[in-house]
Every structure is written in C-alpha cells, then in structure tokens.
Amino acid sequence: MHIGLCSPHWPPSLGANGIVSYVAAVRDHFIARGHEVSVISQERLYASDGSAVPLAARGAGRIMASIGEKFARLREDAKGALPEVGRNVARQIAAAHQIRPFDIVEMEESFGWSERAGRAIAAPVVTRLHGPQALKPPRHLTDEELRDERDRCAAEARAVRSAPVVTAPTQAIMAGACRSYGRDPAQTSAVIANPIRLRANTPRWSLEGADPDHVLMVGRFDFWKGADTMLLGFEHLLRLRPHARLTMVGPDEGLETRPGERLSFEQFAEARLSPEVRARITYRGLLKPAEILPLRMSAMATVISSRWENFPYILLEAMAAGSPLVSTDWPGADEIVVDGRSGLLSPVADPAPLALALDRLLGDPQRAAAMGQAARDRCAAEFSLEVVGDKLLDCYARTIAPAGCRP
C-alpha cells in the first residue's frame, strides 16, 4: 500500500505533539512492514526515504481545487473553523496524490478538514479521532470564542458523519463522537489504541533509583491539562507528607480562570499558593524528551491531572518506563489504566482525591513498583507498536477492500 499520513509538523524533532508522536511511530512500523508511506505536512511531502517535495498545487490539481472551492462557497461549506486552512490542506493532499497516488490516507478530525481532503482525492480518507472538540468539558470562553467553538464542532460533525471509516483510540472516544456528531454507530469504524515503541534498551524506572518524596507532572500549564488540579492537589498532599516535592514540566500557555483571562504559572502560584507550598514546587517549563527522562526515573510517581484526554503519549511513556502513576479519570482513562493494578485513577478536577491517591503510592513503595511493572506489561501486550500497527494495517486493507473495516 501507499499510505498517506497528515501531521501538524514534520520532522518530529521540531516539537512535541501527540499527533506527531503517533504519526512518527506508525510511519516507521508501516515502512518496516514493506509499505510506502508519505507524510504530508506544512506544504511538503516527506517520502519513505526521507526526501521532501514542495506541495504547490499545479496543473489539473490547481484547476480542480479552484472549482472545488467555488462549489464549497456556493454550498456554504466554507463555514466552520479555519476554512481557508482546511482548503489549503486539501490542496496539499491533492498535489501529493498527483505526484504518487495514494491507496489510503489517514488524518485527524480537527476542524473538519478530513471532509475536504476526502473530496480532493479518489482514495479513501480515514478520519482518526485525536480529540473531538465536542467531547471536551466546558471552559471559560468569550462570546467570540464560543462562536468559534460551535463552528469548529459543526465542521467536525460533517467530517465525522461523512467519513468512510472512523478510527478512535478508545471506545469512550468513539461512542462520544458518534453520539455528539450524529454518526450512525453501525457505520464503518474501528477502536485501535495509540501505539508506543518498546525497546529492550529503554531506561526502566526502578524503586532503588527513585526519590520517595518526588512527584512529577508533565503537561502544558493550562486548563485542559488540569494544572490547577495538580497544584491544589499537591497543596493537600503536603499536609499529609510535608517533605513531598513536585516538579512540573511543560510550556506555560496560561490557565483560563474566566473568559478572556489566563494566569501564568507564577501568577497562579502567587494568587493561590502559600510561600511554603510554592517553595516545594519546581517549574521547569518546556523540556526535551531526553531532559524529561531522568526526572521520570527519579520520581516516585508520575501524575496526569488532565480534565480531558484522548490517548496521551505522556501517559503511555510513563507506563512504558514502568513508572508508578496517578491519572485523573477522564473518559477512556480506564481503558488504558487498570485502576489499582497498573496505576491509580482519581476524579477529574478534584484536588483532594488526587492527593490521597499520591499518598497511597508514596506510602507503599513496593505496591507502587508492582503497579509500574504491571503498567509496562500492559503496554507490551496491548499498546506496543507491533500490536497496534498491525491492527491499523488490517483496518486499511479492509477499507480498501469492498467489505470495509469491521467495527
């Protein structure tokens, strides 16, 4: 097969992003299985051999794109979030298809762009649910942001309803998207996890190398990642364990506290935390994976405090390393973490239970280590690149064949 994969940026070294991590993993697996893979990103086509070709629409592709845009405007399809970007993405995919026709293309549902891509080429376009906007919990938005949100959800709904095949990493995401976006559950779909590479030489967490008081949280400082839940939960934890310390890693994008207002880490800490609590917290900002690794190895527990997630790589990376972990119980979390066995789940946006879960891990190092090992074993059995990658290839083959992909 010649498989097309769309990525927000490429190569992966340009920055951290869950979709990029996913594309990088499956691309390598597909190539290893003998398939040709092209990555479409930022107006370039990256071939299996790593070469890059600019994707300026040309010839018949430019004419067809122009005609398609006129029809789209007549049908008012230009409405929705970032429609001009969506049209440009479709043009890039059409230009790539001209260079070397695809058998199948996979891209995310964001902003409904996959619908435009599906109209741009004859090959099937699989819509991969990386984070449907309609499933995310309410947050503090201005009236203009609310309008944009509604437009984005409407555009995504059209794309999800019309897609020949939809895949999702969890059953919770699939069911929620079908319900919210009006896709018939009987339509062709497949629940396939996000994969992670497991290498024999990957550093492993060990109880001997961990600081019994050290807690690590990796994720953006923002509303979705539950930065406030983590900080206020840590404040609760210090009442139980005065010697605990927290390291936070991730870019500071500001925490929404009311419409149009975001507080930085320093602003939130100054407003909500005592100097004593603040002194036990180290905020490192954005770090490279190689810089995060020693922090994970030294922490007694890794925390995912998000209000909502899809199938986050930061969780998979902690599991693959065998790190004990606590995660908030966003929809689908229990399909990844077996509560009490491969980690602990805590209610979303509730600091006190998060602190109690951390106290349980820190207070029982042997049990924490056993959970970390169980998490790594689960990764190997359910989420390894070999297991998941072959499921995706099987889905693609069924999509190309008349029978389609089985639910």
Side-chain angles (χ1 to χ4, degrees):
M1 285 185 285
H2 180 205
I3 303 167
L5 299 171
C6 295
S7 179
H9 63 254
W10 200 260
S13 59
L14 292 179
N17 178 284
I19 298 174
V20 178
S21 297
Y22 166 85
V23 171
V26 299
R27 170 190 179 272
D28 290 351
H29 180 76
F30 296 162
I31 292 172
R33 288 289 192 260
H35 299 283
E36 182 182 356
V37 183
S38 297
V39 176
I40 304 102
S41 179
Q42 296 179 321
E43 300 189 351
R44 285 183 176 272
L45 173 70
Y46 296 87
S48 294
D49 62 5
S51 61
V53 178
L55 289 177
R58 58 192 178 185
R62 182 183 294 275
I63 295 170
M64 292 303 295
S66 175
I67 294 172
E69 286 176 28
K70 289 179 181 178
F71 276 114
R73 291 191 182 96
L74 288 172
R75 295 169 48 198
E76 297 189 331
D77 281 353
K79 292 181 179 178
L82 305 177
E84 182 54 44
V85 179
R87 287 193 291 271
N88 189 39
V89 169
R91 284 195 294 266
Q92 292 175 48
I93 293 172
H97 189 63
Q98 266 194 291
I99 295 170
R100 171 77 169 85
F102 294 112
D103 293 302
I104 195 164
V105 172
E106 180 186 294
M107 65 182 297
E108 61 182 293
E109 85 295 339
S110 298
F111 303 102
W113 297 338
S114 60
E115 182 196 22
R116 297 182 184 281
R119 296 202 304 262
I121 62 174
V125 176
V126 174
T127 296
R128 175 75 175 175
L129 300 179
H130 279 287
Q133 195 70 11
L135 303 190
K136 298 178 181 179
R139 56 193 175 117
H140 304 289
L141 298 175
T142 64
D143 290 343
E144 181 178 357
E145 288 171 332
L146 282 170
R147 287 193 295 272
D148 289 343
E149 191 102 334
R150 287 192 292 269
D151 285 346
R152 175 173 178 173
C153 289
E156 289 184 2
R158 290 194 296 271
V160 169
R161 285 196 301 269
S162 64
V165 176
V166 170
T167 67
T170 66
Q171 186 60 48
I173 295 296
M174 180 66 77
C178 288
R179 182 176 59 252
S180 298
Y181 287 154
R183 182 179 176 88
D184 184 348
Q187 285 181 270
T188 309
S189 62
V191 175
I192 303 173
N194 283 355
I196 189 165
R197 288 187 188 88
L198 291 175
R199 295 189 175 99
N201 61 350
T202 298
R204 298 278 296 275
W205 182 93
S206 70
L207 185 56
E208 294 74 21
D211 180 339
D213 295 317
H214 185 199
V215 175
L216 173 68
M217 182 263 193
V218 182
R220 298 185 307 272
F221 186 84
D222 69 4
F223 178 85
W224 295 125
K225 297 298 181 182
D228 52 338
T229 305
M230 180 71 260
L231 289 173
L232 298 177
F234 182 69
E235 183 178 46
H236 281 279
L237 180 64
L238 284 178
R239 296 170 193 157
L240 304 170
R241 297 186 173 275
H243 297 295
R245 62 187 184 90
L246 169 66
T247 299
M248 298 183 72
V249 175
D252 188 347
E253 297 190 0
L255 181 70
E256 295 159 326
T257 53
R258 59 185 181 184
E261 180 179 282
R262 294 173 183 256
L263 294 182
S264 67
F265 168 79
E266 291 296 344
Q267 290 170 327
F268 184 89
E270 183 177 350
R272 299 295 301 273
L273 304 177
S274 69
E276 292 76 19
V277 172
R278 177 67 184 86
R280 306 295 301 175
I281 301 170
T282 301
Y283 179 61
R284 297 288 302 273
L286 181 62
L287 296 180
K288 296 177 180 178
E291 297 172 308
I292 297 173
L293 182 60
L295 295 173
R296 182 178 292 119
M297 296 297 108
S298 70
M300 189 65 199
T302 296
V303 180
I304 292 85
S305 57
S306 306
R307 285 179 167 83
W308 190 88
E309 287 285 2
N310 193 51
F311 203 106
Y313 271 93
I314 192 60
L315 177 56
L316 279 182
E317 288 161 2
M319 293 176 69
S323 170
L325 62 91
V326 175
S327 175
T328 42
D329 193 12
W330 28 268
D334 61 349
E335 298 179 47
I336 308 170
V337 178
V338 180
D339 188 29
R341 183 173 179 183
S342 58
L344 296 178
L345 295 176
S346 176
V348 170
D350 196 340
L354 180 67
L356 292 175
L358 280 169
D359 183 54
R360 286 172 61 192
L361 280 186
L362 300 184
D364 192 345
Q366 294 297 331
R367 185 182 181 215
M371 286 187 185
Q373 181 59 52
R376 181 175 171 82
D377 292 344
R378 182 163 171 76
C379 263
E382 303 289 339
F383 310 134
S384 71
L385 185 55
E386 290 72 24
V387 171
V388 174
D390 285 349
K391 287 182 179 179
L392 286 166
L393 287 173
D394 181 62
C395 180
Y396 295 163
R398 290 171 181 264
T399 299
I400 295 169
C405 198
R406 299 291 185 252

